[in-house]
Every structure is written in structure tokens, then in C-alpha cells.
Amino acid sequence: MEPLKRAINAFANAFRVEDLRKKLLFTLGILIIFRIGAHISIPGVDPKALASFFSQNKDNLFGLYDTFTGGAFARATIFALGIMPYISASIIIQIMGAVIPQIRLLQKEGAEGRAKLNQWTRYFTVVLAAVQGWGISIWLSSVKVNVNGVGASVLLEDFATGAGNWGFRLLAVLTMVTGTVFIMYLGEQITSRGVGNGISLIIFAGIVGNLPRSAFMEYEQFAAGNQPLMIEIVVIALVVAIIGFIVFIEQANRRIPLQSPKRVVGRKVMGGQSSYLPFKVNTAGVIPVIFASSIMFVPAMIASWFPNTGWIESFAAAFLPGHVAYSVIFGLLIIFFTFFYTAIQYNPSDIADNLKKSGGFIPGVRPGRKTAEYIDNILTRITLPGAIFLATISVGPLHLKDALNMSFYIGGTSVLIVVGVALDTLRQIEAQLHTKNYEGFLKHGRIRGRMAS
């Protein structure tokens, strides 16, 4: 209850600070724009026919993808691709940094290098979005919905056949690419002018936007007598337990003790204080799950390029959430990206050098190379359980859907992203509140100083 109480207090106090209130309202406004765009259909698509197709094919290849887009994909809206092309582009650029010297140098050049890499990522996002958009346009052209025993297209009559079909494909690609670029712009605006990480918050908004519909579907199952009361109680208990477990692990950290040397300045003895260097058990946060999820969408995207091709659809079907192949590959990808992203975020040699320059040291460990080796050993030991935790919480709940006959995915991945992003955003709000308080104290001290003079 204490973290919840602290979060509520931080949120309430944030609206009392004018600058922070403006940032929160700006962030909320951007997210509202994103949700509005998730309901504007691509020209040429019959939304009712497409909704009928998804209701008849609940376990299709794009179910999890639709979760990340907040239902935008199932409605074939202008934001149907979501932010996933940008995430995929970011993954590829970061991995290329390990093998291409030029990219590796840019990664080490600080703000200027990051700006250049961000520019390349944006260009690559457009390319990926165009490729994915073309595949989806082909898939939409081939989708047939069962109406009174007859297969009907999900496209409007003027776009369904002939030259109109090619016009639809080009229009759909242009619309979806523009939508992805606009979402990318919205995310960057949140990061620079709002509160929190913009890309993560957009994914957060997409997942949360689907929760009311999922809850209503589950209630309909219960009201129709298809779901016993005891199963519903078990589902609620599992969701609460998963959220509690995620919060517990997200707050856990390993503290490395630090000591600063004593220094004599004039007649005073400075330093000699003890502190610690904290490392979270889940050092990489939700980024590995987002990265791995974007990779797992690839089979479905490839299948969309070759509609009505039996062996390709069978291959892609093996990557549906809940299947063994999906679970194994998804879990391994999460573990890989956890170590990969941790290695990018934390460089033991740089940490050791910074400690040496500041005069700090770890008791019992020699400064320099020995300190770097010690930190690297600690990071490896805490990253492994963190990676296993991410893989377990993301893969495990997927198998409960069929076991409990649920109408929606219990979504360990979704819950992990929602909880992780919410905690990170609250931490940023708290940090800004502390900054404002300190500024208040300083201003108060300056006023008192003027009055005394």
C-alpha cells in the first residue's frame, strides 16, 4: 500500500506545481490525439466488415500486435502500424553498432552522435513502415469475411477489385507510413516537452486503451454463462498477483557500497562518507520485452505478404502466442535483449573511471580495472535473474488463456509494460517534484537574505 499511497501523493502534488502541471496536461493531450487517430479508418476499408472478421478469427496472427496498437490494427486505422516500425529500426541500428565501426563511434560521441543515429533511425523507420504497410495492404485486399455463408471483401466496393485495388494499396501504404511518422513525432514531443519516455507512453496508452473493451468482453462471457464465477475470481487474483510480483521485482535493487576518502581542506576534514551504487535487478526495464515483441511480429508480417499460401500461413501460425515455438523463441529473445541492452546502458569500465576521478572506491576492491571487473561480475549476476523474470512473466501468462477459456490475453507482456512505464513515469514526476522543492527552498533563502540585508 505504501508505493500506491506515495504514487497518489506524487500525482496530486504534481498538479500544484504550475510547470509540472503544464507538462502533464501536454502529455495527456498528446495521448488523446493518439487515441483519436486510432479510430480513424484507412480510406477504402469497411470497418464493420473488418470487425466481423476479427470477431470470427479471434486467434489470428495479429492478435498481440493489435494489443500494442490499442486496437488500431483491428480497425485498420491510420495508426494501424503503431510505433513498432520505429522500435524495429532502433533495434537494428543498435545491433549494427556492435559490428559496424562507424555506428559504434557515433554511439560514443555523446549528444551529437545520438542525434545522428536518431536521424538514421527515422529514415529507416520510414522504409520499414513502407514494407510492413505494403504487406498489410495486400493482406487486407485478400481478407474475406463470412456473410450469410458467402465470402465478402473487407474493402468498400470501389476499392475491392481491378485498378481500384492497386489504388487502395498505394493509398493504404501512404496513410500508414504517415501515421507511423506522426506517432514517432508525438512520442518525441512527449519526451522533450512532457513527462516520461514518449515512445513507452504511447505503447502504454495503446495497451490501456484496450483494457475496457477486454474487460467488457470478459463480462459478456460471464453474463452469458460461458465463464464460471470461480474462474473469474481466479483470473482477477492472477492479474493482481502478477502486478504485485512485477512491482516487487521492479523496486528490487543490488546496492554496492561506496566510500569517499577523507580530505583536509583548511582546518576542516571533508569526505569520508559512505554511500552506495544501486543496480536494479531488472536493469533493462521493459525495453527487452518491447524489442523481442517487435521481432515476434515478423512471421505474421511475412505471412501478410503471401496471403492464401498454405505453408507460409502454417509456419506463421506456429508463432501465435501460447504455442511452444513462440514461447521458446520469445523467451530466448527477451533474455538476449536483456543482456544486450544492459551492456549498452552500463559500461563497467566507464563507471570505474568515473569513481576513480571522483575519488570514490568500493571497500576491499582496488580502483581501476579491478573495480570494473567487480562491477561487471555484479551486473552479470543480477542481470540473469532479471532476464529470467522478464521471460517468465511475459511467456507464462500466455498459456493461461486457453486453460481458463478467457476472451482476452491475460498479457504478462502487456501488464509488465504498463506497470514498468507507470513506475518509471512516477519516478520522473517525483524527481521533478524534488527539484521544484529545492528550488523553492533556494528562492526562499534568497528572499530572506535580501530582507536581512
Side-chain angles (χ1 to χ4, degrees):
M1 292 299 293
E2 185 61 31
L4 179 61
K5 183 179 178 181
R6 191 178 67 183
I8 293 173
N9 290 336
F11 216 71
N13 291 332
F15 280 91
R16 298 191 182 102
V17 181
E18 183 180 358
D19 184 43
L20 193 52
R21 182 172 64 248
K22 289 180 179 179
K23 289 184 177 181
L24 287 171
L25 292 175
F26 178 82
T27 302
L28 182 62
I30 292 291
L31 295 180
I32 290 173
I33 293 173
F34 167 69
R35 292 306 300 155
I36 291 173
H39 290 80
I40 303 174
S41 297
I42 296 171
V45 176
D46 185 347
K48 292 182 179 179
L50 189 61
S52 177
F53 169 80
F54 274 95
S55 65
Q56 295 170 14
N57 301 270
K58 293 181 180 179
D59 292 327
N60 61 79
L61 296 172
F62 298 99
L64 188 60
Y65 192 98
D66 188 50
T67 301
F68 281 86
T69 61
F73 180 83
R75 290 185 288 268
T77 70
I78 58 175
F79 292 162
L81 291 177
I83 197 63
M84 286 304 166
Y86 177 78
I87 294 172
S88 300
S90 300
I91 296 170
I92 295 171
I93 292 294
Q94 289 191 10
I95 292 177
M96 288 172 64
V99 294
I100 299 178
Q102 185 180 1
I103 296 179
R104 193 184 309 126
L105 287 174
L106 287 174
Q107 289 175 342
K108 295 179 179 180
E109 286 184 3
E112 186 177 345
R114 284 194 299 271
K116 188 69 174 179
L117 289 177
N118 286 337
Q119 188 178 12
W120 290 0
T121 303
R122 294 188 192 103
Y123 294 150
F124 198 28
T125 298
V126 174
V127 174
L128 287 180
V131 172
Q132 293 180 11
W134 180 253
I136 292 174
S137 70
I138 295 173
W139 177 76
L140 286 171
S141 300
S142 66
V143 168
K144 300 296 180 181
V145 61
N146 188 3
V147 179
N148 298 324
V150 180
S153 175
V154 299
L155 303 184
L156 297 176
E157 187 175 351
D158 293 340
F159 294 88
T161 58
N165 188 264
W166 279 96
F168 164 75
R169 293 182 184 183
L170 294 174
L171 180 61
V173 171
L174 179 62
T175 302
M176 286 186 280
V177 170
T178 304
T180 296
V181 172
F182 185 60
I183 293 175
M184 181 173 60
Y185 168 77
L186 294 179
E188 291 177 351
Q189 290 301 304
I190 291 176
T191 302
S192 61
R193 299 172 58 188
V195 177
N197 182 289
I199 302 301
S200 298
L201 279 172
I202 283 176
I203 297 175
F204 171 91
I207 295 172
V208 172
N210 256 350
L211 290 181
R213 184 180 64 173
S214 300
F216 183 72
M217 290 170 58
E218 191 67 20
Y219 173 75
E220 284 185 327
Q221 290 284 328
F222 172 71
N226 298 328
Q227 197 76 296
L229 177 61
M230 186 55 66
I231 296 295
E232 294 293 348
I233 293 174
V234 170
V235 169
I236 295 172
L238 283 172
V239 171
V240 172
I242 289 172
I243 292 173
F245 182 53
I246 291 173
V247 172
F248 175 75
I249 297 296
E250 284 290 319
Q251 301 286 3
N253 58 68
R254 169 73 157 85
R255 298 181 176 184
I256 300 178
L258 295 177
Q259 187 74 32
S260 59
K262 293 182 179 180
R263 294 174 297 172
V264 178
V265 181
R267 296 182 179 181
K268 295 182 179 180
V269 178
M270 309 291 289
Q273 297 179 347
S274 299
S275 59
Y276 60 87
L277 184 65
F279 289 112
K280 291 177 61 178
V281 172
N282 180 20
T283 51
V286 300
I287 299 299
V289 178
I290 296 174
F291 280 6
S293 297
S294 66
I295 296 290
M296 295 305 294
F297 296 142
V298 171
M301 286 297 173
I302 293 175
S304 70
W305 300 339
F306 305 96
N308 304 320
T309 305
W311 70 271
I312 292 180
E313 290 186 351
S314 300
F315 169 76
F319 290 86
L320 282 172
H323 284 65
V324 175
Y326 178 93
S327 300
V328 172
I329 297 174
F330 189 35
L332 292 175
L333 282 173
I334 289 174
I335 292 173
F336 167 75
F337 280 120
T338 302
F339 278 95
F340 177 76
Y341 193 73
T342 301
I344 292 175
Q345 291 292 104
Y346 300 97
N347 187 329
S349 298
D350 290 344
I351 297 173
D353 289 342
N354 291 333
L355 284 176
K356 190 174 181 180
K357 290 175 183 177
S358 64
F361 62 93
I362 300 172
V365 181
R366 294 181 61 182
R369 184 171 60 86
K370 290 292 184 182
T371 297
E373 291 175 355
Y374 179 81
I375 293 174
D376 183 59
N377 184 40
I378 293 292
L379 275 174
T380 302
R381 287 164 56 189
I382 66 173
T383 300
L384 179 60
I388 294 173
F389 154 74
L390 288 177
T392 302
I393 209 69
S394 299
V395 172
L398 294 174
H399 296 275
L400 296 174
K401 179 180 182 292
D402 294 331
L404 299 176
N405 191 29
M406 296 172 58
S407 57
F408 68 99
Y409 292 114
I410 197 169
T413 301
S414 303
V415 175
L416 179 65
I417 292 172
V418 168
V419 173
V421 172
L423 289 174
D424 181 62
T425 304
L426 285 172
R427 276 193 288 266
Q428 291 195 33
I429 291 174
E430 283 189 338
Q432 294 199 34
L433 281 173
H434 285 307
T435 303
K436 296 300 177 183
N437 286 337
Y438 293 146
E439 286 181 357
F441 295 148
L442 290 172
K443 288 178 181 176
H444 183 63
R446 285 196 293 268
I447 292 171
R448 290 182 59 184
R450 293 194 194 104
M451 291 176 64
S453 61

